[in-house]
PDB file of all heavy atoms in Angstrom:
ATOM      1  N   LEU A 776       3.667   2.624   6.255  1.00 86.00           N
ATOM      2  CA  LEU A 776       2.987   3.851   5.939  1.00 86.00           C
ATOM      3  C   LEU A 776       3.786   4.577   4.875  1.00 86.00           C
ATOM      4  O   LEU A 776       4.932   4.974   5.132  1.00 86.00           O
ATOM      5  CB  LEU A 776       2.798   4.727   7.160  1.00 86.00           C
ATOM      6  CG  LEU A 776       2.268   6.142   6.890  1.00 86.00           C
ATOM      7  CD1 LEU A 776       0.885   6.112   6.258  1.00 86.00           C
ATOM      8  CD2 LEU A 776       2.254   6.959   8.178  1.00 86.00           C
ATOM      9  N   VAL A 777       3.237   4.701   3.706  1.00 84.00           N
ATOM     10  CA  VAL A 777       3.931   5.384   2.619  1.00 84.00           C
ATOM     11  C   VAL A 777       3.182   6.693   2.333  1.00 84.00           C
ATOM     12  O   VAL A 777       2.074   6.674   1.797  1.00 84.00           O
ATOM     13  CB  VAL A 777       3.970   4.509   1.338  1.00 84.00           C
ATOM     14  CG1 VAL A 777       4.737   5.223   0.232  1.00 84.00           C
ATOM     15  CG2 VAL A 777       4.583   3.157   1.638  1.00 84.00           C
ATOM     16  N   THR A 778       3.782   7.804   2.726  1.00 84.00           N
ATOM     17  CA  THR A 778       3.132   9.078   2.470  1.00 84.00           C
ATOM     18  C   THR A 778       3.191   9.313   0.960  1.00 84.00           C
ATOM     19  O   THR A 778       4.201   9.076   0.308  1.00 84.00           O
ATOM     20  CB  THR A 778       3.814  10.237   3.217  1.00 84.00           C
ATOM     21  OG1 THR A 778       5.171  10.299   2.868  1.00 84.00           O
ATOM     22  CG2 THR A 778       3.680  10.027   4.716  1.00 84.00           C
ATOM     23  N   GLY A 779       2.059   9.760   0.399  1.00 83.00           N
ATOM     24  CA  GLY A 779       1.984   9.878  -1.044  1.00 83.00           C
ATOM     25  C   GLY A 779       1.942   8.556  -1.741  1.00 83.00           C
ATOM     26  O   GLY A 779       2.285   8.447  -2.930  1.00 83.00           O
ATOM     27  N   GLY A 780       1.548   7.520  -1.022  1.00 81.00           N
ATOM     28  CA  GLY A 780       1.574   6.155  -1.558  1.00 81.00           C
ATOM     29  C   GLY A 780       0.404   5.793  -2.471  1.00 81.00           C
ATOM     30  O   GLY A 780       0.332   4.665  -2.921  1.00 81.00           O
ATOM     31  N   SER A 781      -0.471   6.741  -2.760  1.00 82.00           N
ATOM     32  CA  SER A 781      -1.631   6.364  -3.530  1.00 82.00           C
ATOM     33  C   SER A 781      -1.464   6.605  -5.054  1.00 82.00           C
ATOM     34  O   SER A 781      -2.290   6.205  -5.823  1.00 82.00           O
ATOM     35  CB  SER A 781      -2.873   7.166  -3.055  1.00 82.00           C
ATOM     36  OG  SER A 781      -2.644   8.556  -3.214  1.00 82.00           O
ATOM     37  N   TYR A 782      -0.345   7.240  -5.452  1.00 84.00           N
ATOM     38  CA  TYR A 782      -0.094   7.438  -6.880  1.00 84.00           C
ATOM     39  C   TYR A 782       1.389   7.750  -7.105  1.00 84.00           C
ATOM     40  O   TYR A 782       2.129   8.049  -6.179  1.00 84.00           O
ATOM     41  CB  TYR A 782      -0.968   8.535  -7.470  1.00 84.00           C
ATOM     42  CG  TYR A 782      -0.730   9.893  -6.891  1.00 84.00           C
ATOM     43  CD1 TYR A 782       0.107  10.809  -7.483  1.00 84.00           C
ATOM     44  CD2 TYR A 782      -1.363  10.293  -5.702  1.00 84.00           C
ATOM     45  CE1 TYR A 782       0.342  12.072  -6.951  1.00 84.00           C
ATOM     46  CE2 TYR A 782      -1.161  11.525  -5.158  1.00 84.00           C
ATOM     47  CZ  TYR A 782      -0.329  12.415  -5.780  1.00 84.00           C
ATOM     48  OH  TYR A 782      -0.094  13.649  -5.229  1.00 84.00           O
ATOM     49  N   GLY A 783       1.797   7.638  -8.354  1.00 88.00           N
ATOM     50  CA  GLY A 783       3.163   7.980  -8.751  1.00 88.00           C
ATOM     51  C   GLY A 783       4.207   7.108  -8.116  1.00 88.00           C
ATOM     52  O   GLY A 783       4.039   5.907  -7.950  1.00 88.00           O
ATOM     53  N   ILE A 784       5.352   7.716  -7.792  1.00 91.00           N
ATOM     54  CA  ILE A 784       6.481   6.980  -7.209  1.00 91.00           C
ATOM     55  C   ILE A 784       6.102   6.336  -5.872  1.00 91.00           C
ATOM     56  O   ILE A 784       6.465   5.218  -5.593  1.00 91.00           O
ATOM     57  CB  ILE A 784       7.689   7.901  -7.034  1.00 91.00           C
ATOM     58  CG1 ILE A 784       8.219   8.347  -8.410  1.00 91.00           C
ATOM     59  CG2 ILE A 784       8.793   7.226  -6.231  1.00 91.00           C
ATOM     60  CD1 ILE A 784       9.238   9.448  -8.360  1.00 91.00           C
ATOM     61  N   GLY A 785       5.338   7.078  -5.077  1.00 88.00           N
ATOM     62  CA  GLY A 785       4.900   6.523  -3.790  1.00 88.00           C
ATOM     63  C   GLY A 785       4.087   5.248  -3.950  1.00 88.00           C
ATOM     64  O   GLY A 785       4.227   4.283  -3.187  1.00 88.00           O
ATOM     65  N   PHE A 786       3.247   5.196  -4.971  1.00 87.00           N
ATOM     66  CA  PHE A 786       2.436   4.022  -5.229  1.00 87.00           C
ATOM     67  C   PHE A 786       3.307   2.835  -5.672  1.00 87.00           C
ATOM     68  O   PHE A 786       3.104   1.701  -5.280  1.00 87.00           O
ATOM     69  CB  PHE A 786       1.352   4.286  -6.285  1.00 87.00           C
ATOM     70  CG  PHE A 786       0.371   3.187  -6.461  1.00 87.00           C
ATOM     71  CD1 PHE A 786      -0.338   2.665  -5.392  1.00 87.00           C
ATOM     72  CD2 PHE A 786       0.156   2.630  -7.695  1.00 87.00           C
ATOM     73  CE1 PHE A 786      -1.238   1.642  -5.557  1.00 87.00           C
ATOM     74  CE2 PHE A 786      -0.740   1.602  -7.893  1.00 87.00           C
ATOM     75  CZ  PHE A 786      -1.444   1.103  -6.800  1.00 87.00           C
ATOM     76  N   ALA A 787       4.323   3.125  -6.507  1.00 88.00           N
ATOM     77  CA  ALA A 787       5.258   2.061  -6.909  1.00 88.00           C
ATOM     78  C   ALA A 787       5.998   1.516  -5.695  1.00 88.00           C
ATOM     79  O   ALA A 787       6.196   0.285  -5.582  1.00 88.00           O
ATOM     80  CB  ALA A 787       6.260   2.634  -7.928  1.00 88.00           C
TER      81      ALA A 787
END
Side-chain angles (χ1 to χ4, degrees):
L776 171 61
V777 182
T778 58
S781 61
Y782 63 96
I784 293 170
F786 187 56

